Every structure is written in structure tokens, then in C-alpha cells.
Amino acid sequence: TQLLEQSPQFLSIQEGENLTVYCNSSSVFSSLQWYRQEPGEGPVLLVTVVTGGEVKKLKRLTFQFGDARKDSSLHITAAQPGDTGLYLCAGGIPGTSYGKLTFGQGTILTVHP
Amino acid sequence: GAGVSQSPSNKVTEKGKDVELRCDPISGHTALYWYRQSLGQGLEFLIYFQGNSAPDKSGLPSDRFSAERTGGSVSTLTIQRTQQEDSAVYLCASSLRTSGTNEQFFGPGTRLTVL
């Protein structure tokens, strides 16, 4: 059973379209992070959200943490081919070792020119 | 500055052999993590080292897996008597332990193939 469920698992869109990736759980997280990973490389942190209801923007990317700190979303506006990659959400579980993260299974995004 | 490095980048081995994977974290980072990633999937936590504290080994899938961190820096993940289901990318990450975002910096991974 996956503690963090990401949807969709695969997303194939045309350049210029908007998209949203979801990360859901029945558990409360102390913080939630989004990473992006390209083939042959390790994941790179995009953002960390820590407060319920928090919204953070990073250029064309908007991240939201649910009020109850159980879910998060990543919205990309006007997607570009350079956005192609594996997007991973990861949560810190209260009461576990500090720094220990639980990852979702990822969303593979392909943006076609 | 130098990031997290891992070696080898690729390892092909025969079933039943032992393998050692190495991770060099970012200098000064006190926390070090090992993860396993199957093709196109999320990351599975294996083990976490923090300073001189006892490591959190709760993610190791069997007693064939072990890890050491010498001198608070370099870490080695050892898999004994490898099985085909051990084939995956093994990722190492390090971080500064702070009371904030705990950004983890990942290495490029070691792709392990067990024939």
C-alpha cells in the first residue's frame, strides 16, 4: 500500500497546455516536498511546503498544500518540453526519524513540442 | 561546488554475488540517506545516517542489505548474495540537518543489474 498516492501516473501533453499533478494521502505530513527527476540523474528539489493551505509559486509552477496537510498539488501553466521528467512528491511523517521521507510513485510527464 | 557522487554508475553482477555501492556526500552534510528506485517509480527508503546517532535501518528489505558510514562521510551499501529482484537504481542523498526544509541533495545513482 502506497502511503502517498500520485495521480496521474503518466501525462502526455502538447506544449502550451496546462496540467495538474496530485499527491494524496490519508496521513498527515509535517512537510511535503516536490522533486523533479530527469533520466540518469537524481531527483532535484523544487519546493517544500510546511503550512496547511500554503501556496508557493515558482515561475510557471504553482504548489499547494492542503489545509489538513494530507495532500498537495502541482500545477504547471503553459507547459514546455523542458518540463518533461518524473515528478515526485515526498512527505515527512511526524514521529519518524527527522529527515526520513516517504515518496509517492511519481508522475511521468512528457511535453511534446 | 561538488555534489553527491556515487560509484560505480553501473554495476552488472551475477545472482549470488556480493556488491558494494559507494556514496560520497556533500562535504559538511551530516545526514545521509540510501534509497532504491525501480524503473520509472518512486523512491523506496532504505537507511538513514545522522551524525554519530544509530542509523535508521527500518527500510532495509532483508538481512542481505547492510550499510556503513565511515568517519561521518563516505557510505557504502552492501548487498550480499544478490537476487534478480535487487535490480534497481540505488540513490544516495545527503542533507544539512536543520529545523527547516531538510532539502536532500541526490547523487546520480548506481544502476544495479543482477543477471
Side-chain angles (χ1 to χ4, degrees):
Chain A
T1 303
Q2 195 77 23
L3 191 61
L4 272 170
E5 294 283 348
Q6 280 189 244
S7 62
Q9 279 192 270
F10 302 94
L11 198 50
S12 181
I13 61 172
Q14 293 297 125
E15 183 175 1
E17 293 183 5
N18 302 330
L19 66 110
T20 302
V21 178
Y22 299 93
C23 179
N24 296 304
S25 177
S26 58
S27 300
V28 174
F29 292 94
S30 53
S31 66
L32 203 138
Q33 300 181 334
W34 285 91
Y35 288 82
R36 177 168 167 264
Q37 184 178 20
E38 297 192 40
E41 299 181 6
V44 175
L45 180 68
L46 296 173
V47 78
T48 300
V49 286
V50 296
T51 306
E54 183 175 2
V55 177
K56 282 192 174 179
K57 292 192 175 184
L58 186 66
K59 296 184 180 178
R60 294 177 294 102
L61 278 61
T62 302
F63 304 86
Q64 187 162 7
F65 200 13
D67 291 340
R69 305 208 322 271
K70 293 183 178 181
D71 55 83
S72 181
S73 64
L74 158 61
H75 182 79
I76 300 179
T77 303
Q80 299 177 0
D83 296 327
T84 294
L86 174 67
Y87 288 81
L88 296 157
C89 64
I93 303 173
T96 62
S97 300
Y98 180 84
K100 181 178 175 180
L101 295 175
T102 296
F103 281 79
Q105 75 271 44
T107 295
I108 297 176
L109 170 65
T110 304
V111 182
H112 301 279
Chain B
V4 177
S5 61
Q6 292 186 245
S7 61
S9 55
N10 282 284
K11 176 71 177 179
V12 180
T13 190
E14 293 180 348
K15 178 181 173 181
K17 295 284 180 71
D18 298 351
V19 295
E20 284 189 352
L21 312 180
R22 178 187 169 104
C23 171
D24 282 88
I26 293 173
S27 177
H29 280 192
T30 57
L32 187 147
Y33 315 79
W34 283 98
Y35 296 91
R36 179 168 69 174
Q37 184 176 33
S38 298
L39 187 62
Q41 297 293 305
L43 278 63
E44 175 189 4
F45 169 81
L46 297 177
I47 188 168
Y48 162 49
F49 296 90
Q50 172 55 51
N52 295 320
S53 302
D56 179 343
K57 303 180 181 180
S58 59
L60 294 178
S62 77
D63 58 9
R64 296 187 294 106
F65 288 72
S66 62
E68 290 185 338
R69 188 178 185 192
T70 54
S73 180
V74 171
S75 177
T76 302
L77 177 68
T78 301
I79 308 173
Q80 295 178 311
R81 305 181 301 283
T82 52
Q83 303 294 311
Q84 288 181 332
E85 60 263 29
D86 299 334
S87 296
V89 175
Y90 289 81
L91 289 160
C92 173
S94 69
S95 71
L96 280 170
R97 178 171 177 156
T98 67
S99 59
T101 62
N102 183 44
E103 178 177 2
Q104 296 188 16
F105 295 82
F106 285 83
T110 293
R111 180 175 297 279
L112 174 66
T113 304
V114 182
L115 302 176

